[in-house]
Amino acid sequence: MPGNRDYYNILGVPRSATDEDIKKAFRKLAFQYHPDHNREPDAEEKFKEINEAYEVLSNAEKRASYDRFGRVATADGFGFEDIGFGGLGDIFDAFFGGTATRAQSRSPQKGADLRANLTLSFEEAVFGASKEFETSRIENCSVCNGIGSKPGTNPQKCPNCNGNGEVRRVQQSLFGRFVHAATCPHCKGEGTVINDPCRQCKGSGKERVKRTLTVTVPAGIDETYQMRLKNEGDAGKYGGSPGDVYVNFSVKPHKFFVRKDYDIFYELPINFAQAALGDKVEVPALEGTVELKIPPGTQTGKTFRIKGKGVPHLHGRGKGDQMVVIRVVTPQSVDADQRRLLEELAKTLPAAKAPENNDQETVD
């Protein structure tokens, strides 16, 4: 260790820092520079410095020696004793429960979640439906039941790591002994090797299978709704539960209804005579038809509310409303008799004036 190395500067704390300050600084930097998370070329060297600094400053006796002499006292006088970082992991283990370079944990691991997209008709989203869809997921091998070995055989302890799943390499240097732990390349961290692999899964213990799943779509959903099918995702590892399937929905537009939240809107075209004289008309609804009374003098844009004829409330009671928006249709062509009648009518009508505002009127 160079004589000008400043442990306080490495951890970013003042010389008056408390033990808790030093501990917090180490935790933050250890996460930031751990070489299994940080792929920058100097991350490993930086991590060694952080461990070295913490090893000294977290020990009252070593810190006192360092503060006084700039070095750590050893049995032979003043030098740089064997700090022994345990492959960049011993101190990290104490804080975070093990390094990422350790063999992959063989505790139960949940399988991966999957995503699915399902398209619904307008009516299916409104009234609900039972829908089937196909997904591809990873399952335990149907032949070896996820073991990976040929039926009748079992995986064997890895001879390279003696079943530990990791190998350690000791390096001795001027600054002490360093032990580097790495995932065993022979068993890839499993701790076991398969000498007679299953022919179905080729030793992986997993196979990809297409499955048809059924989802019950509740009435009243829209495109913001998401459903979870529990335990229908990829198989877990080491006895872990399967993942889930998250289903997202898209809804096809209706040919004449437009939905807004739980209300539906319908544009009703009427002619001049209906608008001027009033009328009773049959209006299409989500279920059948409803009768609507149009009062005399109805203008384009006037909106009528038909209560309870909208979309069912999701997981609740009641329904939204149906809003009928009037559009007075101007004929594109008229015959001679119609023209004559319109001309006579025009003589009796006052000249139209621009309205003061274009606010729509809504009546219940």
Side-chain angles (χ1 to χ4, degrees), residues 69-87:
F69 303 107
R71 297 182 179 184
V72 178
T74 66
D76 299 326
F78 292 100
F80 306 109
E81 69 174 10
D82 180 359
I83 295 175
F85 299 126

Side-chain angles (χ1 to χ4, degrees), residues 70-144:
R71 297 182 179 184
V72 178
T74 66
D76 299 326
F78 292 100
F80 306 109
E81 69 174 10
D82 180 359
I83 295 175
F85 299 126
L88 308 181
D90 289 345
I91 298 178
F92 199 81
D93 283 358
F95 281 96
F96 311 116
T99 71
T101 59
R102 295 295 176 93
Q104 184 179 13
S105 172
R106 287 183 286 277
S107 60
Q109 297 176 18
K110 182 181 178 181
D113 293 332
L114 303 178
R115 301 281 174 180
N117 297 310
L118 194 58
T119 300
L120 304 175
S121 68
F122 189 89
E123 289 80 6
E124 287 173 333
V126 170
F127 299 113
S130 179
K131 300 284 289 185
E132 291 185 345
F133 65 96
E134 190 175 81
T135 187
S136 176
R137 68 187 183 191
I138 296 174
E139 297 182 0
N140 289 329
C141 177
S142 57
V143 174
C144 67

Side-chain angles (χ1 to χ4, degrees), residues 48-320:
K48 288 179 181 179
E49 285 187 345
I50 295 166
N51 275 276
E52 184 177 317
Y54 181 75
E55 175 71 13
V56 172
L57 298 184
S58 64
N59 183 291
E61 183 177 345
K62 293 178 182 179
R63 181 178 180 181
S65 176
Y66 174 76
D67 288 345
R68 185 174 182 183
F69 303 107
R71 297 182 179 184
V72 178
T74 66
D76 299 326
F78 292 100
F80 306 109
E81 69 174 10
D82 180 359
I83 295 175
F85 299 126
L88 308 181
D90 289 345
I91 298 178
F92 199 81
D93 283 358
F95 281 96
F96 311 116
T99 71
T101 59
R102 295 295 176 93
Q104 184 179 13
S105 172
R106 287 183 286 277
S107 60
Q109 297 176 18
K110 182 181 178 181
D113 293 332
L114 303 178
R115 301 281 174 180
N117 297 310
L118 194 58
T119 300
L120 304 175
S121 68
F122 189 89
E123 289 80 6
E124 287 173 333
V126 170
F127 299 113
S130 179
K131 300 284 289 185
E132 291 185 345
F133 65 96
E134 190 175 81
T135 187
S136 176
R137 68 187 183 191
I138 296 174
E139 297 182 0
N140 289 329
C141 177
S142 57
V143 174
C144 67
N145 295 319
I147 296 177
S149 287
K150 182 179 178 180
T153 66
N154 291 304
Q156 302 298 311
K157 181 188 293 186
C158 175
N160 191 52
C161 64
N162 198 32
N164 293 321
E166 67 179 12
V167 291
R168 291 174 175 261
R169 180 167 52 88
V170 180
Q171 289 182 319
Q172 191 72 34
S173 71
L174 177 64
F175 310 122
R177 180 176 62 87
F178 296 92
V179 182
H180 177 69
T183 301
C184 176
H186 188 60
C187 67
K188 297 180 175 57
E190 294 292 329
T192 58
V193 291
I194 297 174
N195 297 320
D196 296 307
C198 169
R199 292 184 179 181
Q200 175 76 5
C201 64
K202 297 179 174 57
S204 69
K206 307 293 181 184
E207 59 181 340
R208 184 167 290 279
V209 180
K210 288 186 177 180
R211 297 293 185 191
T212 298
L213 302 179
T214 301
V215 59
T216 300
V217 181
I221 74 165
D222 58 20
E223 293 186 340
T224 66
Y225 189 76
Q226 184 184 73
M227 292 188 69
R228 182 181 72 157
L229 303 182
K230 194 173 182 180
N231 295 332
E232 294 289 359
D234 284 348
K237 294 188 67 176
Y238 312 121
S241 63
D244 304 324
V245 174
Y246 288 87
V247 184
N248 296 308
F249 297 94
S250 59
V251 181
K252 295 179 181 179
H254 196 274
K255 59 182 179 181
F256 45 74
F257 289 132
V258 175
R259 177 177 173 179
K260 185 176 181 182
D261 296 328
Y262 292 108
D263 295 334
I264 60 168
F265 287 75
Y266 172 72
E267 186 178 74
L268 176 64
I270 61 175
N271 60 37
F272 284 154
Q274 289 174 302
L277 303 176
D279 198 0
K280 287 184 179 180
V281 297
E282 291 289 325
V283 177
L286 289 175
E287 297 179 273
T289 60
V290 293
E291 186 179 84
L292 177 67
K293 182 178 180 180
I294 301 173
T298 296
Q299 304 294 316
T300 289
K302 191 166 186 178
T303 301
F304 297 90
R305 183 192 304 271
I306 305 175
K307 291 187 176 182
K309 293 297 182 179
V311 179
H313 291 167
L314 182 64
H315 303 313
R317 295 181 179 179
K319 297 181 179 181

Side-chain angles (χ1 to χ4, degrees), residues 28-29 97 142 170 219 322 335 348 356 358:
K28 179 180 178 181
L29 294 172
S142 57
V170 180
Q322 178 169 337
D335 59 26
T348 65
E356 295 182 0
N358 293 322

